[in-house]
Structure formats: C-alpha cells, structure tokens
Amino acid sequence: DSLMLAWCQVRIVNGEIVPDNPPAAQTTSTTMTAHRSCRIAHCCGLLVLLLAVLLFLTRLLSLFSTAFVLSGGVLLGRNGGPMIDSLLPPNLKEGQSTPEADGGACGLFCLSGCCQLGSSLQDEWDSAVETLAFICTYGKRNCLTNQMYTGELSLSKVVGLVAGKLREGTVQCG
C-alpha cells in the first residue's frame, strides 16, 4: 500500500506510516553546500522558529502571534540570504557575489526536508555549528582556526575554545 501526498510519498508497513525514500535529486542538496549567507539565514530562521515555539509554550505568545512569528522565521530561512549578505562584514562573506535566495532549496525550509524531519534537523544543526565556528574564527582567519577545524567539529568544542581564549583575556587574536 502506498499513499501519495502532494509533496511526500509514504508507505504503510506493518500498519505504520513510514516515509518512502526520496528521489535521488532531493538527497544530494544539503544545507552544507549552500552559500554561506544562505546558511546563516537558515540558522537565524531556525532560531526564530525555536524561540516562537518556546514563547508559545510558556504562554508569552498567543496562537496568532506564534503563527505570525513562525511564518517570519520560515521566510527568513527561505529567502534571507541576500539580506544577511548585505549585513555581514567583509571578513565573514564567502565569495564575491551576493547570493540569490535559495528559496528553501535544502534543509528544513523545503518541502522534501519536512518529509525527512530528523535528517533535515540534523543537517541544519551541523550547518549551524559550522557557521558558529566560522563566525568565531572571523572567517577562518584568526588564532582559533587551526584548533577549531582540527578533528570533529561540535558545539562543545566551539564553546570551549572560545571560552578558553576569553578566560585568557584574549578578545582579538591575529
């Protein structure tokens, strides 16, 4: 038995609905291959989504306000790349050209990403951690770069290295 939705195909296996494998074209596009400004826009959009849900759960936002903020987060994640690029200082830009909005071509902000929520969230998380490392190393240009990009990159590694430099009193290193 198969059930075809407008944007996601699922199967019924042993009485449970499970996602069907996506077409190969959809699996190759990841957030990690997007332009840096689009990746930062994805991170900002994800933060807005998480903040809206948190504020709704603590009853600080009404349902209507939450829906409004959620739609703003999705809009930022899908189309915020050019705006973010115009706000970034030159040392945090990759490449010379201003990116086109990716329109949610990958990650959590596309329809195929909603079908594979777990892998999309993991992809967005990996991109967010790498983006944070990129920003903390001023575009891979400071004394943290070698330590940061040696071995596996994780949030605890990024926070630990930055906190260590701040404890030493090093705010800017060459």
Side-chain angles (χ1 to χ4, degrees):
D1 292 333
S2 286
L3 175 66
M4 181 64 151
L5 299 174
W7 44 272
C8 180
Q9 186 171 359
V10 295
R11 297 182 289 143
I12 299 175
V13 178
N14 296 329
E16 293 183 30
I17 298 175
V18 295
D20 209 1
N21 291 335
Q26 292 179 353
T27 59
T28 58
S29 180
T30 67
T31 307
M32 295 298 276
T33 60
H35 190 277
R36 173 70 62 188
S37 299
C38 294
R39 291 170 58 192
I40 293 173
H42 276 240
C43 294
C44 293
L46 187 60
L47 274 173
V48 169
L49 293 178
L50 293 174
L51 183 64
V53 169
L54 180 67
L55 290 175
F56 176 72
L57 291 176
T58 58
R59 298 178 188 256
L60 293 174
L61 281 181
S62 67
L63 184 60
F64 177 76
S65 298
T66 302
F68 184 73
V69 174
L70 287 174
S71 60
V74 170
L75 185 66
L76 178 61
R78 289 179 59 88
N79 300 319
M83 180 193 66
I84 296 289
D85 191 69
S86 69
L87 298 174
L88 288 176
N91 64 332
L92 293 181
K93 292 184 181 184
E94 276 186 342
Q96 299 299 322
S97 65
T98 301
E100 295 292 322
D102 68 349
C106 57
L108 186 63
F109 299 102
C110 67
L111 292 177
S112 63
C114 291
C115 286
Q116 301 171 336
L117 194 58
S119 62
S120 294
L121 282 172
Q122 184 63 48
D123 189 32
E124 293 287 352
W125 175 258
D126 293 341
S127 174
V129 169
E130 200 282 327
T131 298
L132 180 63
F134 183 82
I135 290 171
C136 289
T137 59
Y138 301 111
K140 298 182 181 180
R141 293 185 180 99
N142 70 7
C143 60
L144 287 175
T145 302
N146 287 337
Q147 292 172 312
M148 189 78 72
Y149 289 97
T150 301
E152 190 173 334
L153 197 57
S154 67
L155 182 61
S156 61
K157 180 179 183 179
V158 173
V159 170
L161 286 172
V162 171
K165 286 296 178 186
L166 291 175
R167 269 193 302 270
E168 292 173 5
T170 307
V171 177
Q172 183 178 6
C173 51

